[in-house]
Amino acid sequence: MRSDTRPWIWAAVVFLITFAGGFLFYTFLTFILAEETSSALIAFRQDFLFVLLLLFVTPAILAGLAAALMVNRYVRPVEKLSDISSLLGKNTSLPEYSPSGITFIDRLGQNLDAAAKRLNDQESEMQEQLRSASRKLSRERDTLATIIEQLQEGLVVTNKEGRILLFNAPAEQMLSLPDKNPPTYLGLGRPLDQVIENAPVQLAIDESRHPDGNGSFRFTVSSPGDQLLQIRAIPASLKDDPDSGNLFFIRNITGSVLKHHKEEEFADDGIRRVRDSVAGIRAAADNLKNYPDAGADMQEQFLGLILNETETIAALVGDYQKEQGKNKPGEGLNQVISLSALLGMMQRISAQSGLNLSFSFPEDEPYVEADACSVSISLLYMTGKIKELMGDDIRIASESADEHHKIKISWTGEEPDQDQLQNWIGGFPEFDGIKLPFSMQTVMQQHRAEWWTQSEDGSCEFNMILPKAEKPASPKTGKGHFDFDLFQFSLSSEIAKTPLKKITATVFDTETTGLYPSDGDRLISVGAVRILNGKLRENQSFHHYINPGRPIPEASTRIHGITDEMVAEKPNAAHCLKDFYRFCEEDIFIAHNAAFDMRFLELEQRGAGVDFSRPVIDTLLLSTILHPNLEGHSIDDLATRYGIKTETRHQALGDAIMTARVFLKMIPLLAGINIHTIEDATRASRESVYAKIRY
């Protein structure tokens, strides 16, 4: 309704009400007054009807005009103020208020103008603060990224669920090994414990946050590249924030371990040679003592022997000092930890596994120098072996001496024979899914530890002694200096509800010997690239050629350029698809004409021992929904339509990258027709006529 007609509508309503009221009042009087008076009123109406109507109409008109004036004078200014107030906080400029001449309304309008001005000033100030904070955050992120890239250690940052948020180049060099068998791919959004098999990632996250720990947890694993990696996990936040992630610092200690072994060999050889020299000196001294009358030549010969052996010992000592001088601070494989913390860690790990053990903790606070993870897993591994043969009544306690601390595993029953014990100690410890990359004997040697068993009156013990260590100084902690809002990122557990603009997926394409997978055509190439959080990651790609086990027709070669010679020495499809499965893992798939590519995967996946069942988004089907009246829905048509430069067409990786770019261009267009999530896209795709195609 137009605002300028509203007063006259009110005037009409008031006119009708006033007129009807006057008529009803007149009629009412004719009924209640005396008969003589009532007859006079009726006669007056009959004789002076026009005058009577004028008496009714005139007040009604005046009342209607008064109502219109009231609406114009009081109601419309208030309504205008109401409309103006509704625009507050909407980032719009308010229309100027025109004074109405009514004091209280004009005062309200003036207050509203002042409030709008203050709000606009505050919004402008807030926007400037946001821009300043954004610039500062950008600089801090750039600085932090530079620092991370310059670290000599590998660094992987995960969220609270252990999924990778970022990593630097050294970490990628140590953990991303696509050429190994089996290959590994370090990728954003992937669980770290799937990149490093048998790694106690969740244990490290839990223990680094445990109140009894020292704020970090170290463990050693074997990488797919047959390298020993020492990984140190610490919480990403100094505050006790359960939603913060973890930092994993990775160091290749293969050289340190080899050096440690060489040092032991050097020391053993030096000791043997010193003993030989001391024996020669002693023999020469005995001869000088026993034969005082020996000739000068003989005595000179004995003295020369003593001098030579002394110089040999001096040279050995010098060599040893030089070798020791090569050691750098921080290259040790162990850390100082309290015995209570070590036993507490063992207790928590055993409880999680369901192993029922009794623990006794020391009353004082002794410290040992140890690799807590390898010692804990080794002792629990030994406990598990003992439990398999001896029963459930197993107790773990500690004792302290002047130079060492002893951890003992005691039980009631028989003592294992020495061959069995040696076999256990020579094995690689494994407990509750955590497997060490070296034997328990190596753990003993690394810790200069000794072990033995003893039994008395039906009670047996396995004893392990560790060297004492001094209590470490408390580390200095302080407030961090970064506002890095990275840990809010987490992959949705409900894939169907994931917004397309936040999608994480593997976009793939295949090249084949022909177009009929059910009639014997086979894969000859698979290429893929990842989209993470709605962004194309071309540096996370996969491209393998496959030997199809049959000739490639010339007609197919003319399309994709792949010849029999190019795939003759390549592995078969089963080997390639195992690697591809490791690359894509939990990601959903995106492909163009996905039914064709998925059919080839379905035919080959059983031989590879994998299953590619997962949600699939087809850009061909989405194109028919977005552009139902346009001709052409091929990947070339879409690339032209969206202004995407075509490169390396009919190569699996090149086509996968182009499909990814096409899909990202589609996302805002799909939002325009109310398709926002993976569930929306798959539901709409089923309505396309192309969804009925089968291969």
Side-chain angles (χ1 to χ4, degrees):
M1 181 185 299
R2 291 177 54 185
S3 60
D4 55 355
T5 62
R6 190 178 303 164
W8 301 112
I9 292 175
W10 276 103
V13 171
V14 172
F15 170 82
L16 291 174
I17 292 174
T18 306
F19 181 83
F23 178 78
L24 290 174
F25 180 72
Y26 170 82
T27 305
F28 176 72
L29 289 178
T30 60
F31 280 104
I32 65 171
L33 294 177
E35 182 178 354
E36 183 178 348
T37 305
S38 176
S39 298
L41 289 175
I42 294 173
F44 181 80
R45 182 189 64 190
Q46 293 174 348
D47 295 337
F48 300 98
L49 178 62
F50 176 77
V51 175
L52 185 62
L53 289 175
L54 190 61
L55 290 174
F56 290 158
V57 169
T58 300
I61 291 174
L62 293 175
L65 292 174
L69 179 63
M70 293 290 291
V71 169
N72 271 319
R73 184 74 168 164
Y74 295 100
V75 176
R76 290 186 65 184
V78 174
E79 288 179 336
K80 183 177 180 181
L81 288 176
S82 175
D83 291 343
I84 293 175
S85 66
S86 67
L87 299 175
L88 286 174
K90 300 296 192 302
N91 287 327
T92 59
S93 58
L94 300 184
E96 184 178 353
Y97 173 73
S98 301
S100 64
I102 308 299
T103 303
F104 76 91
I105 293 180
D106 290 344
R107 188 182 302 119
L108 181 60
Q110 292 168 2
N111 293 338
L112 187 61
D113 284 340
K117 185 176 184 305
R118 288 194 299 270
L119 183 60
N120 287 335
D121 291 343
Q122 291 174 357
E123 286 182 350
S124 299
E125 183 180 355
M126 184 179 298
Q127 290 295 330
E128 179 57 34
Q129 290 176 352
L130 287 174
R131 286 191 290 270
S132 176
S134 178
R135 290 192 296 267
K136 180 181 177 183
L137 179 59
S138 179
R139 289 194 300 269
E140 290 176 351
R141 288 189 177 184
D142 291 343
T143 302
L144 182 56
T146 302
I147 293 172
I148 289 173
E149 285 303 319
Q150 294 303 315
L151 288 175
Q152 298 301 310
E153 287 183 304
L155 173 62
V156 175
V157 183
T158 70
N159 62 8
K160 63 179 181 179
E161 299 165 351
R163 291 185 178 273
I164 299 170
L165 301 180
L166 63 86
F167 54 86
N168 64 356
E172 184 176 24
Q173 185 177 5
M174 287 184 275
L175 297 179
S176 192
L177 303 169
D179 297 330
K180 293 295 181 179
N181 186 20
T184 59
Y185 300 94
L186 185 65
L188 299 179
R190 289 179 172 161
L192 181 59
D193 56 5
Q194 290 186 12
V195 178
I196 314 173
E197 293 185 355
N198 301 314
V201 173
Q202 191 57 50
L203 175 64
I205 292 175
D206 295 340
E207 289 297 326
S208 65
R209 298 171 181 272
H210 198 276
D212 294 339
N214 60 359
S216 68
F217 182 84
R218 291 203 293 186
F219 59 93
T220 304
V221 296
S222 177
S223 76
D226 299 324
Q227 303 291 312
L228 284 178
L229 305 179
Q230 186 180 73
I231 302 178
R232 179 168 59 97
I234 62 173
S237 174
L238 294 176
K239 301 177 181 179
D240 187 15
D241 182 3
D243 293 327
S244 67
N246 271 69
L247 310 178
F248 290 84
F249 292 93
I250 307 168
R251 188 161 61 101
N252 189 335
I253 61 171
T254 308
S256 299
V257 172
L258 293 175
K259 180 180 178 182
H260 178 71
H261 291 163
K262 289 180 180 178
E263 287 175 353
E264 289 185 342
E265 294 175 358
F266 182 85
D268 291 342
D269 181 64
I271 290 172
R272 179 184 58 77
R273 293 170 62 186
V274 167
R275 285 174 177 170
D276 292 343
S277 295
V278 169
I281 292 172
R282 179 176 295 173
D286 288 342
N287 286 330
L288 287 173
K289 179 181 178 181
N290 295 330
Y291 303 102
D293 298 332
D297 292 341
M298 184 65 70
Q299 289 185 2
E300 186 177 351
Q301 184 177 354
F302 288 146
L303 290 173
L305 177 61
I306 293 173
L307 180 61
N308 289 336
E309 295 299 339
T310 303
E311 291 175 350
T312 299
I313 293 175
L316 288 171
V317 171
D319 290 343
Y320 183 75
Q321 289 176 337
K322 290 179 182 179
E323 192 68 24
Q324 288 295 98
K326 295 178 183 178
N327 289 335
K328 297 179 181 179
E331 285 194 340
L333 304 180
N334 304 329
Q335 65 183 133
V336 176
I337 184 173
S338 73
L339 204 54
S340 297
L342 182 61
L343 293 177
M345 183 187 304
M346 293 175 59
Q347 186 180 45
R348 290 188 291 274
I349 297 173
S350 63
Q352 290 176 358
S353 71
L355 183 62
N356 185 23
L357 301 175
S358 173
F359 285 82
S360 298
F361 292 85
E363 295 181 359
D364 54 356
E365 193 67 19
Y367 284 81
V368 294
E369 185 178 352
D371 179 356
C373 181
S374 64
V375 170
S376 299
I377 298 302
S378 295
L379 289 173
L380 289 173
Y381 156 78
M382 178 61 69
T383 302
K385 294 294 185 182
I386 294 171
K387 176 181 169 63
E388 290 177 2
L389 297 179
M390 307 305 170
D392 294 332
D393 186 20
I394 300 178
R395 302 167 298 282
I396 298 179
S398 65
E399 293 180 2
S400 297
D402 292 337
E403 299 297 330
H404 62 264
H405 299 297
K406 179 174 72 173
I407 300 177
K408 63 178 182 179
I409 305 171
S410 57
W411 67 93
T412 301
E414 298 180 359
E415 181 180 356
D417 60 62
Q418 289 299 309
D419 290 340
Q420 197 169 39
L421 282 170
Q422 290 290 351
N423 186 44
W424 291 345
I425 290 178
F428 283 50
E430 183 174 5
F431 186 82
D432 196 28
I434 302 173
K435 185 176 181 180
L436 299 185
F438 31 64
S439 68
M440 187 171 179
Q441 182 66 42
T442 302
V443 176
M444 297 284 192
Q445 293 173 351
Q446 176 185 330
H447 292 82
R448 303 187 303 278
E450 298 180 11
W451 68 271
W452 72 91
T453 59
Q454 62 187 48
S455 60
E456 183 178 354
D457 298 331
S459 179
C460 299
E461 292 181 358
F462 174 87
N463 298 279
M464 177 179 177
I465 63 171
L466 295 169
K468 256 187 176 181
E470 296 295 328
K471 181 179 179 179
S474 299
K476 294 182 179 181
T477 59
K479 185 179 179 181
H481 299 283
F482 289 99
D483 183 15
F484 202 178
D485 185 19
L486 176 63
F487 305 106
Q488 301 299 322
F489 170 78
S490 177
L491 294 179
S492 172
S493 58
E494 298 181 1
I495 297 178
K497 301 298 183 183
T498 302
L500 294 178
K501 63 182 180 181
K502 293 291 185 181
I503 195 171
T504 292
T506 293
V507 188
F508 81 103
D509 186 67
T510 63
E511 300 298 341
T512 64
T513 59
L515 303 177
Y516 305 102
S518 299
D519 293 338
D521 281 320
R522 290 292 177 261
L523 290 169
I524 55 176
S525 178
V526 176
V529 67
R530 296 189 77 216
I531 292 176
L532 179 69
N533 200 24
K535 297 178 181 177
L536 178 59
R537 303 284 184 175
E538 291 191 36
N539 60 334
Q540 296 186 33
S541 61
F542 177 95
H543 189 214
H544 277 21
Y545 287 112
I546 300 170
N547 187 336
R550 54 160 289 180
I552 302 174
E554 291 184 7
S556 297
T557 298
R558 283 196 294 270
I559 296 174
H560 47 59
I562 302 174
T563 64
D564 291 328
E565 291 75 15
M566 294 171 62
V567 299
E569 303 297 327
K570 301 300 180 182
N572 59 19
H575 185 279
C576 171
L577 293 187
K578 286 180 181 179
D579 293 351
F580 181 50
Y581 186 82
R582 282 178 168 269
F583 175 81
C584 61
E585 290 187 346
E586 300 175 350
D587 291 352
I588 70 168
F589 278 157
I590 299 175
H592 192 80
N593 193 12
F596 177 82
D597 301 293
M598 289 300 297
R599 181 55 178 161
F600 278 95
L601 296 186
E602 289 170 0
L603 292 174
E604 301 283 7
Q605 65 183 5
R606 179 175 296 179
V610 296
D611 185 359
F612 289 105
S613 300
R614 63 194 65 204
V616 181
I617 292 179
D618 192 337
T619 51
L620 171 64
L621 303 184
L622 294 180
S623 175
T624 63
I625 297 167
L626 285 170
H627 316 293
N629 300 314
L630 295 181
E631 295 182 359
H633 299 287
S634 70
I635 194 67
D636 289 313
D637 292 328
L638 295 179
T640 302
R641 192 169 298 159
Y642 297 147
I644 298 172
K645 185 179 180 181
T646 57
E647 298 176 356
T648 59
R649 279 289 286 121
H650 298 298
Q651 294 183 17
L653 178 56
D655 286 357
I657 293 174
M658 187 180 301
T659 302
R661 292 173 178 168
V662 164
F663 174 75
L664 294 177
K665 289 283 188 179
M666 284 180 166
I667 291 177
L669 302 178
L670 292 168
I673 58 174
N674 208 29
I675 296 177
H676 301 283
T677 66
I678 295 174
E679 184 178 38
D680 296 338
T682 53
R683 185 190 301 116
S685 297
R686 287 194 293 268
E687 300 174 2
S688 170
V689 65
Y690 286 82
K692 310 298 188 294
I693 297 177
R694 296 291 181 269
Y695 290 91

